[in-house]
Amino acid sequence: MSYTENDLAEDLQNQEYKYGFVTNLDSETVPKGLSEDTIRLISAKKEEPEWLLDYRLKAYEIWLQMTEPTWAHVHYEKPDFQDIIYYSAVKQKKYESWDDVEPEMKETMKKLGISMDEQKVLTGTNVAVDFVMDSVSVATSFKEKLSELGIIFCSFSEAVKTHPELIKKYMGTVVPTSDNFYAALNSAVFTDGSFCYIPKGVRCPMELSTYFRINEKGTGQFERTLVVADKGSYVSYLEGCTAPMRDENQLHAAVVELIALDDAEIKYSTVQNWYPGDKNGLGGIFNFVTKRGVCEKNAKISWTQVETGSAVTWKYPSCILKGDNSVGEFYSVAVTNHFQQADTGTKMIHLGKNTKSTIISKGVSGGKSNNSYRGLVQIHKNATNARNFSQCDSLLMSDECGAHTFPYIECKNSSSKIEHEATTSKIGEDQIFYCQQRGISSEKAISLIVNGYCKEVLNQLPMEFAVEAQKLLAISLEGSVG
Amino acid sequence: MITIKNLHASIDGKEILKGLNLEVKPGEVHAIMGPNGAGKSTLASVLAGREEYEITEGTVDFDGKDLLDLKTEDRAREGLFLAFQYPIEIPGVSNINFLRAALNEIREYRGEEPISAKDFLILVREKSAIVELDPKLASRSVNEGFSGGEKKRNEIFQMAMLNPKLAILDETDSGLDIDALRIVANGVNKLKSKDNATIVITHYQRLLDYIIPDFVHVLYDGKIVKTGTKELALDLEERGYDWIKEEMSL
């Protein structure tokens, strides 16, 4: 590994939230507030077809009837939905080539560590990126190279124009508009996101990745991601997120839908590092996200998430194991510090025979934060020989934090086998002392111990991401012990 | 190497060390024996820098530096090593990574470059042989799932890797069978040089058959009450500690 202990030490010097800067670019924003007019305006700006506007308006109708969910173990001041800007786009239209990109935008990407440089593939970075800032996708790399294989990888808005049949066919099939309050809101006002289609039998040769960035003040980000893996195909998808440091709470309500057709496999990895608010709990992103995938016959969906950011997280990447022999996996590390709150977990819905799911959840809580695992394992009556294994571990770093586990199991088939293991431990002073006695500083010791604790999950991440995640864990836990 | 003068230390308001004096010179091996509760492990903990203990009086000079003024990790970086009586498990952190982190922090403290991957592996191979440690253990998580004997051997392996000036072995013999004891003791002997020193804390004379001490001290009620050569250990084995109490009229 090229990343050395020294690099880590260096990164630790830089303990503050590193991505808290703002880019000064001319943006076009719509007035604050949500109404049918706002939706029509967004739709018009994006030059959308009639059917999509109808979809939005229907979703809006549904949303108006709904109320915010309150069952999660989180407390926050409800966002004022009339005080949010629902559309903000950098004035420059979509760039035709890399040379068109303004220096400010290039600088932003550089600071975020995003490389759009396709030449770099030669030096080992094998990731195609779609960069979404505020409401729109700014740039997508490697599009041509991927299209040679028939892979479609572009912004959601572009896909609406170029592949309306695919969007129409799949959008909303996994997360219906009426699914929940935030999914309905997203369906009404979503602005952009990524779309990806892998044709039959194709193994995507590089990691596909979307980087989400909130830049503009007062905006919410509502993006949709749709990944369709056709029969027998494979894709590994990465998602990263950051936002500037502000003392207001900004809303991020995304919808991610994954569709794995027969024998296909989708690996979806997230490193979520939205601004978590300051030490006193001021500001930070509200991250209310609906992520779900459906597996047809023999298909597999694997969710891996490292959640270190956001003031409040409400997120349950789930799998519907519809086809026989399909497999769902959920690997999660959720870190909360200071006043952060996370209520996260998964749902594994076993419908098909011989379906299998694995849940590995590692919660790390420090400061005065609250960290909850909430999971549902549901075995339907036709899911003969379904299997589930769940492991939920909590690591406490301080005396004032909270760790909670809410596992739900519903089983309607007696041939199934469900296992659930859970542990709670406090980071050991003995462990830290042991490291110090060998010459390792206490901060480094904590980082070693926590990384060790999360290893099973971190091992699931692609290499570039794993290194990033390790650094992030160390930084997020600064000042967490007490 | 180390000069301890009139050391007083207490925990939760209870005084454990009550004016301890000890001097260890380079090249020497000192054994510290004593009944349960005499303060042997406290001495090891205090020197290593455990925060629970409060030092109320006394000085410790370690190679010209005020040891008590140094942070725990800096004591280690200056060359003080403690082989734990109960080595700690760190799940998910491989022995190798742990040692490389430690070694590199020590090197950085001394203004040296981090060790190259190749040199590090050579060092691991060479040093694991000293304690006949299965190289597979080196890539397993630190002490996790190790047997009692493997844990103790791993301590000496770490000592070999970090090459300290002063090693304190806190009841390294406890829980070892005869074979493991011999291997551990041989390891310690191989690491001995004229420039380093060892303090062996033990309950039993048995270990001292293998690691021959230059001096044997009896620690009783927080003080060193008697010092002799290895024959003293034999006496203790035979007669227990009561005669010392009488002799000292304690």
Side-chain angles (χ1 to χ4, degrees), chain B residues 27 33 78 93-94 113 123 129 135 147 150 172 178 198 207 225 242:
Chain B
M33 304 182 74
E78 287 286 343
V93 178
S94 74
E113 289 290 306
L123 197 66
S147 71
E150 284 169 343
T172 295
I178 286 293
T198 313
L207 179 64
V225 294
D242 286 348

Side-chain angles (χ1 to χ4, degrees), chain B residues 65-170:
Chain B
K65 293 212 162 68
D66 178 359
L67 185 80
L68 301 177
D69 205 32
L70 294 174
K71 287 191 293 186
T72 304
E73 54 264 43
D74 287 345
R75 298 180 192 195
R77 292 163 182 172
E78 287 286 343
L80 184 135
F81 181 92
L82 172 63
F84 283 57
Q85 182 178 2
Y86 305 108
I88 310 295
E89 298 182 5
I90 310 179
V93 178
S94 74
N95 236 340
I96 291 274
N97 264 344
F98 177 70
L99 276 172
R100 204 176 55 174
L103 194 61
N104 281 337
E105 291 225 7
I106 292 171
R107 289 171 72 106
E108 195 188 333
Y109 183 78
R110 295 180 186 156
E112 295 166 11
E113 289 290 306
I115 190 166
S116 74
K118 187 174 159 236
D119 290 346
F120 180 72
L121 287 175
I122 292 172
L123 197 66
V124 167
R125 211 168 306 147
E126 181 192 322
K127 301 299 183 185
S128 56
I130 290 179
V131 281
E132 300 172 34
L133 189 78
D134 184 344
K136 274 186 213 137
L137 286 183
S139 46
R140 290 224 322 247
S141 293
V142 179
N143 293 320
E144 197 189 27
F146 285 29
S147 71
E150 284 169 343
K151 282 184 183 171
K152 294 298 175 75
R153 266 197 260 178
N154 194 27
E155 291 294 288
I156 307 305
F157 166 58
Q158 293 185 15
M159 171 178 156
M161 288 293 293
L162 303 180
N163 191 25
K165 283 190 240 174
L166 174 68
I168 303 166
L169 311 184
D170 188 6

Side-chain angles (χ1 to χ4, degrees), chain A residues 289-432:
Chain A
V289 173
T290 308
K291 290 183 167 180
R292 196 175 301 151
V294 62
C295 288
E296 300 290 346
K297 238 185 264 170
N298 305 320
K300 179 176 173 184
I301 288 180
S302 180
W303 297 100
T304 304
Q305 59 171 19
V306 175
E307 302 279 314
T308 60
S310 299
V312 181
T313 296
W314 178 95
K315 178 179 162 187
Y316 316 90
S318 306
C319 297
I320 300 170
L321 304 172
K322 187 175 156 201
D324 293 351
N325 311 314
S326 59
V327 177
E329 292 176 341
F330 175 74
Y331 298 95
S332 168
V333 170
V335 179
T336 52
N337 197 3
H338 305 308
F339 286 88
Q340 281 177 274
Q341 306 175 68
D343 192 298
T344 184
T346 185
K347 285 190 265 185
M348 292 292 175
I349 315 291
H350 292 252
L351 301 174
K353 294 185 181 65
N354 306 315
T355 45
K356 220 172 115 181
S357 63
T358 305
I359 299 171
I360 309 282
S361 162
K362 305 269 180 179
V364 182
S365 17
K368 293 182 175 164
S369 68
N370 261 301
N371 200 328
S372 307
Y373 167 81
R374 185 182 304 275
L376 168 67
V377 176
Q378 200 177 55
I379 314 274
H380 284 250
K381 67 175 191 299
N382 294 328
T384 311
N385 292 323
R387 293 210 50 177
N388 161 266
F389 173 77
S390 304
Q391 186 187 331
C392 306
D393 297 331
S394 307
L395 185 66
L396 305 172
M397 310 288 286
S398 74
D399 297 332
E400 290 176 279
C401 62
H404 317 270
T405 309
F406 306 96
Y408 303 86
I409 295 173
E410 292 168 16
C411 184
K412 293 183 182 135
N413 186 306
S414 58
S415 66
S416 60
K417 201 169 161 187
I418 301 170
E419 289 171 76
H420 183 96
E421 289 179 10
T423 65
T424 303
S425 49
K426 182 157 195 294
I427 190 158
E429 277 167 24
D430 284 350
Q431 288 176 326
I432 296 173

Side-chain angles (χ1 to χ4, degrees), chain A residues 179-193:
Chain A
D179 190 80
N180 68 69
F181 184 81
Y182 290 106
L185 177 64
N186 175 288
S187 301
V189 302
F190 74 92
T191 44
D192 215 335

